[in-house]
Amino acid sequence: MQQPEEEDRLSVLMDDVLLSILRKVDISTAVRTSSLSTRWRQLPWLLPELSIDVRHFLPVPCPDSIAANDCQQAMVALTKAAKCLFAKPQRKSTITTLQLQLYLISTFLSDIGPLLGDVIDSGLLKDLDLCLLDDLKPGDSSELHMLQLAKDMYGFFNAYPSVFGCLTRLSLHGVCFIELDMHHLLFDCCTQLKHLSLHYCDAGRRSVWKIDAPNSKLSVLEIDTCCFERIDLVCLPELEKLHWDTWVSEYIPLSFGDVPSLGELKLSSSLTYYNTVFKLSELLHGTTSIHTLTLDFQGENLWIQPEMKQLSTAFNKLRKLTLRGIFVEFDIIWTLAFLEAAPTMEILLIEVWDHACSAFVNDEERRSVFAERKNPQWEMDFHCSKNGLLKELQFVGFRSLEQQFVFIRALLGRAPNLQTILLKGAEQCKYCNALDTKSCCSTESSFPKSEDEQAMVARRITDGKSSPRVIFHE
């Protein structure tokens, strides 16, 4: 006999559970579920948070170099998905957050713009997270191309001004602002903007970006490989996080004015012949609330000058300090200057840079950009002052090298309440993994793996004492 058709187990679940499942898949998959049964038909239009990413519509596997036709086809598919999800009368519930990532191609912006405008004007969209991508890789993009992207972006915002009303997060790639009023667009027009990311953007050669926006709601600013000679933060009262990765400047790259909320600062760059070495205290002048600081030297010479007492004012609230990209052959004892300048520090993270991939860089090409690596020489008077609040040391890239033991033992002498030492192996590097090498590490010493090796390292560090606890994590 034919058994009665039973409803599948998923379909009998409540809407909230099914929507939670749909949030975990890409939007094209979520839309296709509407054809499963009448039970699923309306579910994609009930999702309160939508993420529509053009990269989900690219061929799989996605090649490193994306063909122009693939970008076009991906935007066609994205536009169809957006029309489907925003269509009336299916869309009745409010979209609390829309994450929209698309290629900055003018022919498709004229299709996406009206869709966004309608859903915003009808009150169905609260917050918009917009990412405008460049369809070319950064190294392949010419100045004319970047100028055209800026014109297309400006034309899009001018044609659909209602976008400004709910734009809370904006990410731009490969845009040249030399012919636009950058400050007016990002701060006078984007009045609701809280998170701004710029990738491979510029405003002309050796330009200075001056930000004076007392009414801005911006809390996060991320700059990645942008050609600014300097950024002057004159006034950003709600800025909490600032990340700047890779700059080229003959001057101190940053200056601070009225930034009372700034608590997290991350600076990452390699020292080239085109950069200057500066005093960190001068860059931090004007900051009063930094509690988390990250400095990444990307395996090259340090771009900060030796100093200690001068940092005390800027470090008076510092709780976590991260020092990354220290070349593996450098001594690390100089980092104790920061420990004395920051008596409130609770966590110190040190990462040494040891990559096999660097050995494959052409020597002549390297010498044209970077100076020969020299061990930091910080001749400082380290007093016997103690840091009573430091509780944890994290050491990434530990290799049982002598200078690493010297540093840790010296730190123990200045941090009597240190509770935990976490020793980690080298972090994975996609360029090292692509080589025919067993690990990222280029030195002969390796991370202690066996219990005997780890016990020997722990005894050498603590001299047999039970505190601090030494933890190994490969």
Side-chain angles (χ1 to χ4, degrees):
M1 294 177 59
Q2 187 176 359
Q3 297 294 326
E5 187 175 333
E6 296 183 1
E7 190 170 13
D8 66 90
R9 293 182 179 181
L10 277 179
S11 295
V12 299
L13 297 174
M14 298 180 64
D15 282 358
D16 290 346
V17 178
L18 295 177
L19 290 174
S20 178
I21 295 173
L22 289 183
R23 290 191 190 102
K24 301 181 185 299
V25 300
D26 62 79
I27 199 63
S28 59
T29 302
V31 171
R32 286 198 297 270
T33 62
S34 64
S35 62
L36 293 177
S37 67
T38 55
R39 176 73 176 83
W40 289 76
R41 186 169 299 165
Q42 298 299 322
L43 288 178
W45 287 267
L46 297 177
L47 284 168
E49 299 176 355
L50 291 179
S51 177
I52 307 178
D53 189 342
V54 67
R55 291 168 292 193
H56 291 160
F57 298 94
L58 290 170
V60 178
C62 184
D64 292 335
S65 181
I66 303 172
N69 184 60
D70 289 337
C71 293
Q72 298 273 347
Q73 293 301 318
M75 283 299 298
V76 169
L78 179 143
T79 303
K80 288 182 179 179
K83 287 180 179 179
C84 179
L85 287 167
F86 299 157
K88 299 176 182 179
Q90 289 98 323
R91 170 58 63 181
K92 296 178 182 178
S93 61
T94 301
I95 305 171
T96 56
T97 302
L98 170 61
Q99 296 178 340
L100 182 59
Q101 297 178 311
L102 45 85
Y103 288 118
L104 194 49
I105 303 176
S106 59
T107 53
F108 292 100
L109 293 181
S110 59
D111 294 326
I112 295 294
L115 295 174
L116 274 179
D118 287 345
V119 76
I120 293 172
D121 294 338
S122 61
L124 293 177
L125 178 59
K126 298 300 182 183
D127 291 336
L128 173 61
D129 176 352
L130 180 62
C131 177
L132 299 178
L133 299 166
D134 185 2
D135 57 339
L136 296 181
K137 296 176 70 173
D140 300 333
S141 185
S142 65
E143 183 175 348
L144 287 176
H145 177 73
M146 295 175 67
L147 287 170
Q148 185 59 50
L149 290 181
K151 292 178 181 178
D152 293 341
M153 175 200 65
Y154 193 67
F156 171 75
F157 285 132
N158 270 344
Y160 311 102
S162 58
V163 171
F164 290 127
C166 61
L167 184 60
T168 57
R169 182 165 180 159
L170 178 62
S171 179
L172 300 176
H173 293 250
V175 174
C176 180
F177 289 92
I178 192 171
E179 297 180 356
L180 299 178
D181 188 337
M182 184 177 182
H183 191 281
H184 173 71
L185 175 66
L186 298 178
F187 295 101
D188 296 336
C189 297
C190 301
T191 56
Q192 305 302 312
L193 197 62
K194 296 180 180 179
H195 192 135
L196 175 63
S197 300
L198 301 180
H199 306 265
Y200 295 92
C201 297
D202 68 54
R205 187 174 179 269
R206 306 189 68 173
S207 59
V208 176
W209 186 18
K210 182 179 179 181
I211 304 176
D212 187 1
N215 298 319
S216 173
K217 298 180 181 180
L218 193 71
S219 61
V220 179
L221 177 59
E222 297 174 333
I223 311 295
D224 178 17
T225 321
C226 294
C227 296
F228 299 117
E229 185 77 17
R230 192 176 73 250
I231 299 178
D232 293 338
L233 298 177
V234 178
C235 183
L236 269 179
E238 297 190 26
L239 184 67
E240 299 176 2
K241 298 180 181 180
L242 172 60
H243 298 177
W244 192 353
D245 189 338
T246 307
W247 61 83
V248 178
S249 175
E250 297 179 1
Y251 308 96
I252 299 178
L254 266 174
S255 70
F256 295 98
D258 185 13
V259 286
S261 302
L262 183 62
E264 182 178 320
L265 176 62
K266 179 180 179 181
L267 301 174
S268 175
S269 191
S270 55
L271 182 64
T272 69
Y273 285 121
Y274 313 104
N275 289 352
T276 189
V277 178
F278 55 85
K279 289 186 176 181
L280 184 61
S281 61
E282 294 182 1
L283 181 144
L284 295 176
H285 180 72
T287 62
T288 57
S289 304
I290 292 181
H291 55 74
T292 303
L293 177 64
T294 299
L295 307 177
D296 188 344
F297 305 101
Q298 299 182 1
E300 300 299 332
N301 290 318
L302 306 186
W303 33 260
I304 53 174
Q305 296 178 6
E307 53 182 344
M308 186 166 60
K309 293 180 180 180
Q310 301 94 322
L311 292 166
S312 298
T313 300
F315 281 13
N316 66 344
K317 295 182 180 178
L318 189 65
R319 296 197 302 271
K320 181 177 181 180
L321 174 64
T322 299
L323 301 173
R324 289 187 172 274
I326 302 173
F327 186 55
V328 66
E329 296 180 12
F330 287 172
D331 289 333
I332 318 172
I333 202 74
W334 58 273
T335 62
L336 295 179
F338 296 116
L339 190 66
E340 295 208 14
T344 59
M345 190 191 309
E346 300 174 5
I347 300 175
L348 175 62
L349 189 152
I350 300 289
E351 183 217 43
V352 297
W353 193 94
D354 187 14
H355 288 259
C357 58
S358 64
F360 289 80
V361 178
N362 182 277
D363 287 341
E364 183 177 349
E365 180 181 345
R366 174 179 170 77
R367 286 195 298 269
S368 67
V369 179
F370 305 106
E372 181 182 357
R373 295 186 180 101
K374 294 183 179 180
N375 196 41
Q377 300 295 327
W378 286 34
E379 297 180 2
M380 308 198 130
D381 182 15
F382 291 108
H383 300 291
C384 295
S385 59
K386 307 287 186 180
N387 186 309
L389 295 181
L390 189 66
K391 299 295 191 298
E392 180 176 331
L393 168 66
Q394 300 179 20
F395 199 110
V396 182
F398 183 77
R399 295 295 174 192
S400 298
L401 298 175
E402 180 62 27
Q403 65 266 31
Q404 297 178 1
F405 284 111
V406 169
F407 160 72
I408 296 176
R409 292 296 298 269
L411 178 69
L412 285 174
R414 291 168 172 80
N417 296 320
L418 190 68
Q419 298 174 357
T420 304
I421 298 177
L422 178 58
L423 303 180
K424 297 183 178 182
E427 295 181 347
Q428 292 297 311
C429 167
K430 64 179 181 179
Y431 301 107
C432 289
N433 291 340
L435 302 173
D436 187 18
T437 56
K438 294 183 179 180
S439 70
C440 292
C441 181
S442 62
T443 59
E444 294 181 1
S445 299
S446 60
F447 185 82
K449 298 180 180 179
S450 69
E451 291 185 4
D452 291 340
E453 290 176 327
Q454 293 178 359
M456 182 178 65
V457 168
R459 286 194 300 269
R460 187 172 178 184
I461 289 175
T462 63
D463 199 20
K465 299 177 183 178
S466 59
S467 182
R469 181 178 55 163
V470 181
I471 302 173
F472 297 85
H473 189 280
E474 185 182 2

